[in-house]
Amino acid sequence: MTQAAHKEDSYRGVLNATTAFLLWGLFPLYFHAIGEVPPLEILAHRMVWSLLFLCIVLSVRRQWKWLPTVLKQPRIVATFAASALLLSANWFIYIWAVNNGHVIDASLGYFITPLFNVLLGLFVLKERLRGGQWLAIGVAATGVAWLTWQAGALPWIALALAATFGTYGLLRKTAALAALEGLSFETLLLFPLAGGYVIWLTVHGANTFVNTPSDWTRALLVAAGPITAIPLLLFAAGARKIPLSVLGMLQYIGPTIQMILGLLVFHERFSTARLAGFIVIWSALALYIAEGFWASRRTAA
């Protein structure tokens, strides 16, 4: 690949990832609009309608030849089964958080994720951390400890979101399939569980899609397909074209929007003590960015 082509590829990767994080930042508005639907049912509908949307896209583009080959490779199937489970866990925790008044807690999870990515690099990819990176992680850990102390419990929503999405991002970055095929395969693996649950709800008269008098709610549940798939496709495409460090920096876009929505739209409580914990974590992120910038300048010199 020529230098110009590589630069163009990186630019597209940044654009794709940025758009994905912008869309994810607005997700609380969507989930709040379908707040009458239980989180587990929303999750199931996301899987079902996402697969339908992706099947239409694959059919239009005639991109089905990869599937028989992948099904013959157990290692790839196992990898995507793991990423699918991580993705579904992340979705469920996030939906539950938004619909139970924890949008700011959810935003904290995505603020922490870039630093969790550093730990993944250390323990999974066997990368060596520089002193500044260790310091950033230590400062972030102090912020989490403070939030735990003042709340009397671990910020489990934030930590669970960071762990599931950070690990998912690592698996997708090293995945054997491209963005569209990879996401389609993930949703295909999840479909039996999601479809079975929707059928179970219908048989027991608990399917909100069927029972709700609101056509708007039904339309929003169907829209879960493209609303879910498009940002994930953009994210997966961007993750494959840019360094994990750049991806981590862009990720601040989503939680910043989410936090603003939590404060201004959903009017969640944000005490001074809680703000202090967030400031410590933001300081860790600022330190991480500054250290990475300094290290890159030193390498270039």
Side-chain angles (χ1 to χ4, degrees):
M1 182 183 292
T2 65
Q3 185 175 356
H6 179 72
K7 186 176 181 180
E8 177 68 19
D9 206 42
S10 297
Y11 172 77
R12 289 182 180 178
V14 170
L15 181 62
N16 287 338
T18 300
T19 305
F21 290 128
L22 284 171
L23 293 173
W24 277 328
L26 298 172
F27 263 25
L29 298 175
Y30 170 74
F31 291 122
H32 182 73
I34 52 174
E36 68 175 280
V37 186
L40 190 58
E41 186 177 350
I42 295 175
L43 177 62
H45 278 287
R46 287 187 78 178
M47 296 175 188
V48 170
W49 297 112
S50 294
L51 181 60
L52 177 61
F53 173 76
L54 291 166
C55 284
I56 292 172
V57 174
L58 286 170
S59 298
V60 170
R61 300 182 63 171
R62 298 179 180 179
Q63 286 182 232
W64 286 105
K65 293 181 179 180
W66 56 272
L67 185 56
T69 303
V70 169
L71 290 174
K72 297 176 184 177
Q73 302 181 61
R75 186 172 181 177
I76 294 179
V77 173
T79 299
F80 275 94
S83 65
L85 290 174
L86 285 167
L87 182 61
S88 59
N90 184 269
W91 284 353
F92 177 76
I93 295 166
Y94 185 78
I95 294 167
W96 183 91
V98 171
N99 287 351
N100 286 273
H102 296 287
V103 175
I104 294 177
D105 289 328
S107 74
L108 176 62
Y110 294 113
F111 277 122
I112 294 174
T113 300
L115 295 173
F116 185 82
N117 288 338
V118 176
L119 293 177
L120 285 176
L122 173 66
F123 293 110
V124 179
L125 302 179
K126 307 302 180 183
E127 297 175 350
R128 295 186 62 183
L129 300 188
R130 298 182 296 269
Q133 291 175 313
W134 278 115
L135 182 59
I137 291 174
V139 172
T142 302
V144 171
W146 168 257
L147 290 172
T148 300
W149 181 80
Q150 65 91 23
L154 275 173
W156 68 268
I157 294 174
L159 294 175
L161 287 173
T164 52
F165 194 72
T167 309
Y168 173 76
L170 176 66
L171 291 178
R172 292 301 284 119
K173 183 174 177 60
T174 57
L177 295 175
L180 176 59
E181 292 85 349
L183 180 58
S184 300
F185 195 48
E186 286 172 344
T187 53
L188 183 63
L189 292 172
L190 292 170
F191 179 76
L193 293 174
Y197 182 63
V198 171
I199 292 172
W200 185 88
L201 288 174
T202 304
V203 170
H204 289 80
N207 188 339
T208 307
F209 184 86
V210 175
N211 298 337
T212 181
S214 172
D215 290 333
W216 177 241
T217 298
R218 270 189 285 272
L220 286 176
L221 285 173
V222 174
I227 287 174
T228 296
I230 290 173
L232 280 168
L233 288 172
L234 290 169
F235 170 76
R240 294 172 67 90
K241 295 178 180 179
I242 58 179
L244 196 59
S245 58
V246 176
L247 192 66
M249 290 174 62
L250 291 175
Q251 191 163 337
Y252 304 146
I253 296 170
T256 299
I257 297 174
Q258 292 168 18
M259 185 174 180
I260 291 172
L261 290 175
L263 289 170
L264 301 183
V265 177
F266 302 113
H267 306 292
E268 292 187 9
R269 180 174 172 272
F270 199 57
S271 65
T272 303
R274 198 177 183 195
L275 175 61
F278 270 70
I279 289 174
V280 173
I281 291 172
W282 290 332
S283 299
L285 296 174
L287 178 62
Y288 170 69
I289 294 172
E291 192 278 340
F293 179 76
W294 179 79
S296 63
R297 289 288 299 270
R298 186 179 60 177
T299 301

